[in-house]
């Protein structure tokens, strides 16, 4: 009896262990009824369906079963490219439990993969088709005013250093050289236009001597500003109050450009609605000077510079949000840096069910689980480092494992895959999209890796677009390097909005180079028009500006003739006989006929000069008769008649 009772208890215990997972699966059936029927209308298809989460590993697994799991014998599945362990569960070094099989699929899309919003500019940005209007969405008037304010403060100090004495504020501007005068909004935008043109023409590597040499780089740079003024503005450009830096730098080393940077990021967030697939990665602004948070990243083209983690739309490469890495001053509130930056950068899209693709510096299992919860409601796909303690030893590289095979394990909506592309290489990928472990039949790679390859290049492509047409110039001040980076961000984002708006009208947009050239012309036109008002402007500069601004030369033909009279050609005299055929540059002031010296009288030709002489005689005779006394009325009447005849004679001559 006792032996039968013991056997019955073992059977009951085994039955409970086997059916524990199924009982927990049935408890999640209510979540399936809350799925939305509307699907996101994006160009890319959804990759996953809803799958019910498997339960956690049983807590009563014996030590003998765990030791047996370490000596796993892999059994190939029906698809030879998928390797399935013989155990039902695998554990990492930190005892994190993974299931080796996925639960039953219901054939419905998971709610975490449904995005309701459409990608594109916001409502206030949809009707902008001019490059300068799109650019002004990011380089706002508030930013320009901030730059003008503190740049003028620095110019005031530079002027005092040059003169060697303190100048009074009431000093007349006429006593100050044009190179050292205060700047204004129009000039700062023209200064930005010069940098825009240098980016479009790839002249950023040229020195200012070459850039403003008309024989080398054309006349457009010289028409906007002089080399001395350009260099002076570069030296004096500031974006903050220098007197407050010592007290604020201890808390925020980025304070010299913090306000202008915040204004830019605010515009980037508010002007665009991103798509369902986002990318988080870092950009490195090249800089080798002194900076408290300068980084060295050997796999980047510049290697040394300022690291800026950012989030971009993987489809359009629009930069949505960015945060500079400021070294030890970064307050992560106890979180790992990668997790902190993902949560902070994704704030504009919290609660929208979008997916974030990132590399192994950001990806971790705790982050993927946290993003699925409120208030984040985001999914994550990214590579994960092999030294993470959540990865089971059975998924790591072994000699017996064939090249091109994949191994999957699951934990609720999380899916972990290890793919072996080479004999000595193993790739680990983590996804929280609640998807099955499937293989692409064309490439033999897991679908997770195919999706990662399609969406991982958002930030890298954005960085490539910035570097291909960059306005960055050599500088020993890191705030200027950040200022050039701000302009590059504004160039790319404004071009994305411009293309979207133009394509919405079924028209063909300008290519990026032509867009930048047109933007440069629009930014510099107002300032070049003001330069024409200067009376001391050199003649060749005035001519260059008029050629670049054709609208200003239509009403200036008379002024041009007065300033620079045209050289007259020699013509045959209209009154010389054909045998003589004298040639002359002189002409009649009335009939414009060519006349020689013999047939010219008082700037008139022979005929008009003779008529003028006759009229002079008549008027002289009338004046003499008017002096003689009048004796009777008849003489008066005759004199009146003679006056009328004289006036009529003058009219018939048609002189004056």
């Amino acid at each position: 009896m006792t032996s039968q009772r013991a056997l019955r208890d073992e059977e009951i215990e085994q039955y409970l262990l086997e059916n524990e997972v199924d009982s927990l699966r049935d408890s999640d059936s209510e979540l399936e009824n809350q799925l939305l029927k509307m699907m996101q209308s994006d160009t890319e298809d959804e990759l996953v369906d809803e799958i019910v989460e498997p339960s956690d590993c049983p807590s009563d697994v014996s030590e003998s079963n765990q030791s047996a799991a370490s000596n796993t014998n892999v059994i190939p599945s029906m698809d030879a490219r998928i390797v399935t362990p013989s155990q039902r569960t695998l554990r990492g070094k930190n005892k994190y439990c993974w299931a080796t099989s996925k639960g039953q699929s219901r054939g419905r899309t998971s709610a975490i993969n449904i995005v309701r919003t459409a990608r594109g500019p916001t409502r206030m940005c949809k009707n902008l088709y001019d490059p300068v209007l799109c650019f002004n969405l990011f380089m706002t008037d508030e930013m320009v005013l901030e730059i003008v304010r503190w740049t003028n403060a620095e110019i005031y100090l530079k002027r005092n250093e040059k003169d060697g004495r303190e100048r009074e504020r009431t000093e007349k501007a006429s006593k100050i050289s044009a190179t050292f005068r205060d700047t204004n909004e129009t000039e700062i935008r023209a200064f930005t236009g010069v940098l825009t043109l240098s980016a479009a023409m790839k002249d950023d590597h040229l020195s200012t001597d070459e850039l403003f040499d008309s024989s080398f780089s054309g006349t457009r740079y010289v028409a906007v500003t002089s080399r001395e003024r350009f260099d002076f503005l570069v030296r004096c450009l500031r974006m903050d109050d220098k007197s407050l830096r010592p007290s604020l730098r201890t808390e925020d080393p980025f304070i010299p450009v913090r306000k202008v940077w915040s204004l830019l990021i605010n515009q980037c967030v508010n002007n665009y609605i991103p798509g369902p697939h986002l990318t988080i990665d870092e950009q490195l602004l090249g800089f080798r000077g002194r900076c408290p948070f300068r980084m060295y990243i050997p796999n980047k083209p510049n290697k040394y510079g300022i690291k800026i983690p950012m989030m971009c739309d993987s489809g359009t490469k629009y930069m949505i949000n960015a945060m500079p890495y400021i070294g030890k001053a970064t307050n992560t509130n106890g979180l790992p840096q990668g997790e902190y930056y993902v949560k902070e950068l994704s704030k504009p899209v919290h609660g929208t069910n979008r997916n974030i693709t990132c590399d192994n510096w950001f990806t971790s299992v705790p982050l993927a689980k946290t993003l699925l919860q409120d208030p984040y409601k985001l999914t994550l796909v990214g590579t994960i480092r092999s030294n993470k303690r959540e990865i089971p030893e059975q998924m790591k590289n072994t000699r017996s494992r064939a090249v091109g095979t994949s191994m999957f394990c699951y934990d609720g909506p999380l899916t972990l895959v290890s793919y072996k592309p080479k004999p000595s290489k193993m790739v680990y990928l983590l996804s929280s999209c609640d998807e099955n472990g499937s293989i692409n039949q064309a490439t033999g790679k897991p679908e997770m890796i195919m999706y990662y390859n399609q969406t991982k290049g958002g930030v890298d492509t954005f960085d490539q677009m910035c570097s291909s047409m960059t306005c960055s110039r050599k500088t020993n001040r890191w705030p200027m390097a950040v200022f050039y980076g701000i302009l590059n961000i504004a160039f790319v984002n404004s071009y994305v909005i411009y293309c979207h708006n133009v394509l919405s009208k079924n028209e063909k947009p300008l290519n990026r180079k032509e867009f930048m050239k047109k933007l440069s012309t629009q930014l510099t036109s107002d300032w070049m028009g003001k330069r024409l008002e200067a009376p001391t402007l050199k003649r060749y500069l005035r001519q260059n500006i008029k050629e670049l601004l054709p609208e200003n030369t239509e009403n200036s033909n008379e002024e041009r003739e007065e300033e620079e009279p045209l050289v007259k050609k020699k013509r045959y005299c209209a009154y010389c006989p054909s045998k003589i055929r004298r040639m002359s540059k002189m002409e009649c002031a009335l009939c414009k006929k060519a006349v020689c010296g013999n047939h010219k009288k008082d700037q008139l030709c022979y005929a008009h000069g003779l008529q003028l002489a006759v009229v002079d005689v008549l008027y002289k005779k009338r004046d003499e008769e008017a002096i003689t006394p009048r004796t009777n009325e008849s003489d008066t009447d005759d004199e009146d008649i003679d006056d009328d005849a004289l006036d009529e004679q003058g009219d018939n001559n048609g002189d004056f």
Side-chain angles (χ1 to χ4, degrees):
M1 296 295 293
T2 57
S3 62
Q4 293 178 356
R5 186 178 297 107
L7 183 61
R8 189 178 302 110
D9 292 340
E10 293 176 357
E11 292 175 352
I12 293 173
E13 183 179 359
Q14 183 67 23
Y15 177 81
L16 291 175
L17 289 174
E18 292 177 356
N19 291 275
E20 184 179 0
V21 175
D22 295 334
S23 63
L24 292 175
R25 286 174 182 167
D26 296 336
S27 64
D28 293 335
S29 59
E30 296 179 358
L31 297 176
E32 300 179 7
N33 299 327
Q34 300 177 359
L35 295 177
L36 300 175
K37 297 181 180 180
M38 297 183 63
M39 301 293 293
Q40 201 276 338
S41 58
D42 196 56
T43 55
E44 300 179 8
D45 297 331
E46 296 293 339
L47 300 178
V48 297
D49 297 328
E50 176 178 331
I51 299 172
V52 183
E53 300 180 6
S55 64
D56 295 336
C57 294
S59 59
D60 298 333
V61 178
S62 62
E63 295 294 333
S64 60
N65 291 337
Q66 294 180 7
S67 61
S70 61
N71 300 324
T72 305
N73 296 323
V74 294
I75 302 175
S77 62
M78 296 180 62
D79 191 345
R81 288 170 292 191
I82 299 180
V83 179
T84 305
S86 59
Q87 288 79 17
R88 297 174 54 190
T89 60
L90 300 176
R91 290 186 180 271
K93 290 183 179 180
N94 61 351
K95 305 302 179 182
Y96 190 89
C97 185
W98 298 89
T100 58
S101 61
K102 188 69 173 174
Q104 183 179 1
S105 175
R106 303 299 183 184
R108 303 169 71 180
T109 303
S110 176
I112 60 177
N113 296 320
I114 298 178
V115 182
R116 300 187 182 93
T117 56
R119 175 169 52 200
T122 55
R123 181 177 299 178
M124 62 181 180
C125 307
K126 285 187 175 180
N127 296 323
L128 303 179
Y129 309 102
D130 208 12
V132 71
L133 297 179
C134 297
F135 179 75
N136 289 340
L137 292 173
F138 304 96
M139 197 68 179
T140 61
D141 293 337
E142 186 177 1
M143 296 171 62
V144 175
L145 285 174
E146 191 73 11
I147 295 173
V148 170
R149 176 185 178 186
W150 301 118
T151 301
N152 283 337
E154 184 66 18
I155 289 175
Y156 179 78
L157 297 177
K158 295 289 185 183
R159 282 204 304 261
N160 295 336
E161 293 176 2
K162 176 178 175 53
D163 294 341
R165 59 185 177 83
E166 189 72 19
R167 288 181 180 269
E168 296 181 358
R169 293 176 180 266
T170 59
E171 185 179 15
K172 294 182 180 179
S174 59
K175 295 182 180 180
I176 303 174
S177 173
T179 303
F180 303 100
R181 289 180 183 173
D182 289 347
T183 185
N184 52 41
E185 300 175 42
T186 307
E187 186 178 15
I188 290 298
R189 290 200 178 275
F191 173 78
T192 304
V194 172
L195 296 175
T196 305
L197 183 61
S198 67
M201 305 305 295
K202 302 185 186 300
D203 292 338
D204 55 289
H205 64 285
L206 298 179
S207 64
T208 53
D209 292 333
E210 295 174 327
L211 198 67
F212 289 89
D213 186 357
S214 58
S215 62
F216 188 81
S217 300
T219 60
R220 188 170 291 272
Y221 296 110
V222 182
V224 179
T225 184
S226 63
R227 180 187 62 82
E228 294 80 7
R229 181 63 173 176
F230 182 82
D231 287 337
F232 185 70
L233 287 177
V234 170
R235 293 198 305 270
C236 296
L237 194 138
R238 297 292 186 274
M239 292 166 277
D240 73 316
D241 188 358
K242 292 174 62 175
S243 61
L244 301 178
R245 288 182 185 177
S247 59
L248 299 177
R249 259 183 170 172
T250 55
E251 298 179 359
D252 186 10
F254 204 67
I255 196 64
V257 292
R258 175 63 69 182
K259 185 173 182 179
V260 175
W261 177 266
S262 300
L263 292 173
L264 171 73
I265 298 302
N266 184 54
Q267 292 299 114
C268 292
V269 172
N270 295 332
N271 292 337
Y272 192 80
I273 301 174
H277 312 290
L278 308 177
T279 307
I280 290 182
D281 206 343
E282 68 271 354
Q283 181 190 37
L284 190 69
L285 292 179
F287 181 72
R288 287 180 174 266
R290 295 178 59 184
C291 180
F293 44 87
R294 189 188 64 177
M295 294 286 297
Y296 171 70
I297 304 179
N299 59 349
K300 294 290 184 179
N302 293 319
K303 293 183 173 55
Y304 290 92
I306 301 171
K307 179 180 177 181
I308 302 180
M310 60 177 53
M311 180 174 66
C312 295
D313 190 318
S314 64
T316 60
K317 320 310 178 197
Y318 181 93
M319 198 281 289
I320 305 164
N321 198 4
M323 293 178 60
Y325 174 74
I326 55 177
K328 296 180 180 179
T330 305
N331 184 15
T332 63
N333 297 324
L335 295 175
Q337 287 187 353
E339 184 175 350
Y340 167 77
Y341 278 106
V342 170
K343 291 182 178 179
E344 290 295 321
L345 292 174
S346 61
K347 278 185 177 180
V349 294
H350 281 177
T352 60
N353 296 335
R354 287 179 169 86
N355 181 77
I356 295 176
T357 304
C358 51
D359 60 11
N360 55 22
W361 192 76
F362 302 94
T363 309
S364 64
V365 174
L367 174 63
K369 281 192 167 184
T370 305
L371 290 181
L372 292 174
Q373 303 171 3
D374 289 330
Y376 307 105
K377 292 295 182 180
L378 299 171
T379 58
L380 182 73
V381 174
T383 56
I384 188 170
R385 293 181 177 177
S386 59
N387 59 357
K388 296 293 183 180
R389 297 178 63 84
E390 292 85 2
I391 300 179
E393 289 293 331
Q394 292 84 351
M395 300 188 70
K396 295 186 177 180
N397 195 8
T398 58
R399 293 184 178 181
S400 60
R401 184 168 166 179
V403 175
T405 57
S406 304
M407 183 182 295
F408 297 89
C409 59
Y410 311 91
D411 178 27
L414 303 185
T415 303
L416 179 67
V417 60
S418 65
Y419 173 70
K420 188 174 183 179
K422 297 179 182 179
S424 59
K425 184 178 181 181
M426 187 69 71
V427 178
Y428 303 95
L429 217 71
L430 178 67
S431 172
S432 61
C433 294
D434 195 9
E435 55 184 303
N436 284 321
S438 57
I439 300 295
N440 187 283
Q441 299 299 325
T443 61
K445 299 179 181 180
E447 292 290 350
M448 289 171 54
I449 293 181
M450 299 298 296
Y451 173 81
Y452 174 80
N453 291 337
Q454 292 174 1
T455 58
K456 70 177 180 179
V459 176
D460 292 336
T461 307
F462 175 85
D463 190 17
Q464 183 180 7
M465 293 175 67
C466 290
S467 60
S468 63
M469 287 189 184
T470 178
C471 66
S472 300
R473 301 186 62 80
K474 289 184 179 180
T475 178
N476 57 359
R477 295 192 296 121
W478 68 262
M480 281 303 298
V482 177
F483 173 74
Y484 295 141
I486 288 174
L487 292 182
N488 291 332
I489 291 172
F491 294 153
V492 177
N493 282 4
S494 60
Y495 183 67
V496 172
I497 289 182
Y498 164 78
C499 289
H500 188 281
N501 292 340
V502 173
L503 290 174
S504 64
K505 298 195 305 180
N506 296 325
E507 296 180 1
K508 184 178 179 181
L510 297 172
N511 60 46
R512 189 159 174 244
K513 184 176 181 180
E514 295 299 325
F515 172 85
M516 297 279 283
K517 290 166 64 176
K518 186 175 181 180
L519 174 61
S520 174
T521 302
Q522 293 173 336
L523 289 173
T524 57
S525 296
D526 293 343
W527 180 249
M528 286 192 291
K530 287 189 175 182
R531 291 193 78 191
L532 284 176
E533 300 174 1
T536 58
L537 188 65
K538 295 181 179 180
R539 181 178 297 179
Y540 75 93
L541 289 177
R542 189 180 299 275
Q543 182 66 26
N544 291 339
I545 295 175
K546 288 181 179 180
E547 291 177 356
L548 296 174
L549 299 176
E551 65 276 5
N552 293 333
T553 60
E554 294 178 357
N555 301 326
S556 62
N557 292 331
E558 297 179 359
E559 297 178 0
R560 182 181 302 175
E561 291 178 0
E562 294 177 359
E563 295 176 358
E564 299 179 4
L566 297 176
V567 179
K568 297 179 181 179
K569 295 182 179 180
K570 289 184 178 182
R571 294 185 297 168
Y572 291 110
C573 178
Y575 297 96
C576 289
S578 58
K579 293 181 179 180
I580 301 177
R581 301 287 289 177
R582 292 192 184 97
M583 298 188 71
S584 175
K585 293 182 179 180
M586 296 182 292
E587 62 183 14
C588 178
L590 294 179
C591 62
K592 302 299 181 182
K593 293 181 179 180
V595 291
C596 63
N598 296 338
H599 296 92
K600 183 179 180 182
K601 182 178 181 181
D602 296 334
Q603 302 296 327
L604 297 176
C605 63
Y606 178 79
H608 287 91
L610 185 60
Q611 293 177 3
L612 182 61
V614 173
V615 172
D616 289 340
V617 171
L618 293 175
Y619 274 101
K620 185 176 180 181
K621 181 179 180 182
R622 185 189 69 174
D623 294 339
E624 291 177 353
E625 293 177 354
I627 296 174
T628 60
R630 300 180 181 179
T631 58
N632 51 31
E633 295 180 358
S634 60
D635 295 336
T636 305
D637 295 337
D638 294 338
E639 186 177 355
D640 294 338
I641 294 172
D642 292 339
D643 280 338
D644 295 338
L646 184 62
D647 294 338
E648 184 177 0
Q649 178 66 26
D651 294 339
N652 293 333
N653 291 333
D655 298 335
F656 303 100

